[in-house]
Amino acid sequence: MASIRSIFVGIIVLVVILIGTASAFLLFPGHFTIHLPSSSTNSNGSNFTSAASSSSSSSLQSTSSSKSSTSTTTSLSSSSTTTSISSTGYSLRVLQSGSGPILFSALTTPLAKTYYRGDGACCGGTGANDINYSDDSASSWITYGDFEPGRAWAVANSSGLTIADQTCSSTGNPLRVCGPYWEWYGDGNEETVSSMYAQSNMNIPSNAIVYSITATIPYWSYYKGCQFNVSSTGCSYVYAYGTNEFGTSSPTPYDSAFWSLSNASGYSVDVGFAEICNGPAPPCTSNALELVAFTSGGGTYYTQLLKNESVPSYTPTHKLTIATDRKSFIDLFVDNNLVYSSSNIPVNFASCCSLSFFQFTNVDNETDYTTWSNFTIYSSSTVTVQGLSSGMFVIASGANGFSANVSASAGVAVVDVAPDPVNLSISIELNGQIIATASKIDAGAVLELTS
């Protein structure tokens, strides 16, 4: 009888232990981590594009629906960085924090509408005709032009610094008063454009790697009425030698904006965009966007066309980015589009550097204007992730649709984030699933995947 009672008590104790254990799982699930086995192969690897890709792979698009496990968020030592630690047991740890801009200038310090008194010293005039612009002492620029016999002015407000070029006055003989037509046929110069420039009047930080600025050229609906090589009143445009200043081969009216990094001798690498006609022109049924990269010996003369690419639909606002260590690589972007990339620098930057932005127009009888804003310099263009296994991919995502991805090589992946260097999300993908994510990451950061 005593032995039966002992067995009964033992059963009751066992039941209590089992109930207690189950309750612990329900009440404290975070204390019980399940480590899933990792795999070194990735059947979806062929879906990924290069680091400059502006879109993610199809496998990334499906992960949100196929991944059902939960994750917790843990703050790291950096208050601006968070890391997602998933139930896969992987996490991303920040070994080296990135950094934000080392120089930023919105170019919004007010400047009342100020007219240029004539061409600059570059172009037959004097430096007394320049307009100096400073933005809260963060950046300063000398602005000038080659616009006579037209008119030009500068104005700055909350939108940025706008430089306008009126290529014809309201009255007079167009041969005399239209800038582009006069440059070629009247003045006998070898350019067919009226041009405006702004050159940096500041010391470029020695650790600068990424240089960016935003430019806006409105959509000009009057292009459809432009006539080729005429001096009569009304919209017209000029063209010589079968090519324009940046190497396109079919005649078209165009207005353009460029961002430039120059050496001490004035030779530069330039990237920008132009508003042109969807050809053939005339007539122009709609306007197109042209992405352009070239080298220059100064002014309107390009020395080498690096890339020219047309986009059928014109959009007015674009971010222009030059990323280079001036020794081993150079990348030129328009928005998230990698227009040109090389490990061979096309200009010798042993003596360095100055920055400038400039605008061209070959259209007579127009008021062309470009608004410049958000001049920014960063000290790094990459994010590095260590501790990776074969088959893993690193995906960097940012604002305005930026996305870049790189596969692991010898345990490391370096992602080019020059178009969007701050406030990034960095994710690791393995076998089509995101296994770890870190947010609020800036260029220059070094992360490590741990398990």
Side-chain angles (χ1 to χ4, degrees):
M1 190 71 178
S3 60
I4 295 175
R5 185 180 294 111
S6 299
I7 294 172
F8 180 73
V9 171
I11 293 174
I12 293 175
V13 171
L14 180 60
V15 170
V16 170
I17 292 172
L18 291 174
I19 293 174
T21 303
S23 300
F25 273 98
L26 293 173
L27 294 176
F28 307 104
H31 290 275
F32 297 86
T33 302
I34 302 173
H35 295 272
L36 301 180
S38 61
S39 172
S40 60
T41 59
N42 186 350
S43 60
N44 298 319
S46 60
N47 292 333
F48 285 83
T49 58
S50 68
S53 172
S54 60
S55 61
S56 58
S57 69
S58 58
S59 63
L60 282 180
Q61 296 170 354
S62 64
T63 53
S64 59
S65 59
S66 62
K67 184 175 176 62
S68 60
S69 60
T70 60
S71 63
T72 59
T73 300
T74 303
S75 296
L76 301 179
S77 57
S78 171
S79 60
S80 63
T81 306
T82 58
T83 301
S84 172
I85 303 174
S86 70
S87 61
T88 59
Y90 288 99
S91 66
L92 275 170
R93 183 164 64 99
V94 177
L95 301 181
Q96 174 182 304
S97 296
S99 61
I102 57 176
L103 190 153
F104 173 77
S105 174
L107 302 180
T108 55
T109 297
L111 173 70
K113 185 177 181 179
T114 306
Y115 283 88
Y116 295 87
R117 292 183 291 183
D119 287 345
C122 65
C123 318
T126 70
N129 296 330
D130 299 345
I131 295 176
N132 295 317
Y133 177 76
S134 295
D135 186 35
D136 294 334
S137 300
S139 65
S140 58
W141 306 84
I142 302 171
T143 72
Y144 52 92
D146 183 13
F147 59 89
E148 289 187 299
R151 295 193 302 173
W153 62 89
V155 61
N157 52 34
S158 59
S159 297
L161 173 63
T162 297
I163 298 179
D165 180 3
Q166 185 178 0
T167 58
C168 277
S169 302
S170 57
T171 60
N173 181 348
L175 181 60
R176 295 292 305 173
V177 299
C178 290
Y181 196 90
W182 171 254
E183 290 294 335
W184 175 250
Y185 290 97
D187 206 22
N189 291 328
E190 293 184 358
E191 69 260 22
T192 60
V193 293
S194 180
S195 49
M196 304 300 299
Y197 304 89
Q199 185 172 355
S200 63
N201 186 24
M202 69 196 90
N203 293 323
I204 303 301
S206 60
N207 60 338
I209 295 290
V210 179
Y211 315 83
S212 67
I213 199 167
T214 299
T216 299
I217 304 175
Y219 187 104
W220 300 127
S221 59
Y222 53 73
Y223 273 18
K224 62 184 178 181
C226 279
Q227 299 298 310
F228 173 52
N229 266 5
V230 297
S231 62
S232 61
T233 57
C235 178
S236 63
Y237 61 98
V238 288
Y239 210 73
Y241 297 136
T243 61
N244 61 23
E245 273 62 34
F246 45 82
T248 54
S249 58
S250 59
T252 175
Y254 69 89
D255 292 283
S256 55
F258 292 102
W259 182 225
S260 176
L261 181 68
S262 303
N263 64 18
S265 300
Y267 290 92
S268 64
V269 176
D270 313 87
V271 63
F273 68 98
E275 180 176 4
I276 64 172
C277 269
N278 272 319
C284 179
T285 56
S286 63
N287 294 358
L289 174 71
E290 191 159 56
L291 313 182
V292 187
F294 62 96
T295 62
S296 174
T300 60
Y301 305 106
Y302 76 92
T303 55
Q304 181 184 2
L305 181 65
L306 302 176
K307 184 66 178 293
N308 188 304
E309 177 183 351
S310 294
V311 179
S313 179
Y314 180 75
T315 48
T317 300
H318 299 280
K319 181 180 178 182
L320 311 178
T321 301
I322 299 172
T324 180
D325 63 356
R326 304 182 297 279
K327 299 175 183 178
S328 63
F329 79 92
I330 185 166
D331 296 327
L332 306 178
F333 296 87
V334 177
D335 302 322
N336 299 330
N337 299 293
L338 182 59
V339 180
Y340 176 81
S341 180
S342 179
S343 58
N344 298 315
I345 313 300
V347 169
N348 184 355
F349 285 113
S351 56
C352 184
C353 289
S354 70
L355 291 161
S356 61
F357 53 84
F358 52 94
Q359 57 200 69
F360 297 156
T361 179
N362 74 336
V363 181
D364 297 315
N365 298 285
E366 78 159 354
T367 301
D368 169 49
Y369 59 86
T370 303
T371 299
W372 302 89
S373 61
N374 298 331
F375 162 52
T376 316
I377 295 179
Y378 301 90
S379 59
S380 179
S381 63
T382 61
V383 172
T384 301
V385 183
Q386 303 174 355
L388 302 173
S389 301
S390 176
M392 289 184 177
F393 288 84
V394 177
I395 302 101
S397 303
N400 303 314
F402 171 74
S403 179
N405 54 77
V406 174
S407 60
S409 176
V412 178
V414 180
V415 190
D416 187 349
V417 297
D420 192 10
V422 295
N423 199 22
L424 296 159
S425 174
I426 305 297
S427 299
I428 310 301
E429 185 187 77
L430 176 63
N431 295 330
Q433 290 192 344
I434 300 299
I435 61 173
T437 300
S439 61
K440 299 183 180 179
I441 301 298
D442 297 335
V446 178
L447 293 81
E448 182 180 44
L449 182 69
T450 61
S451 61

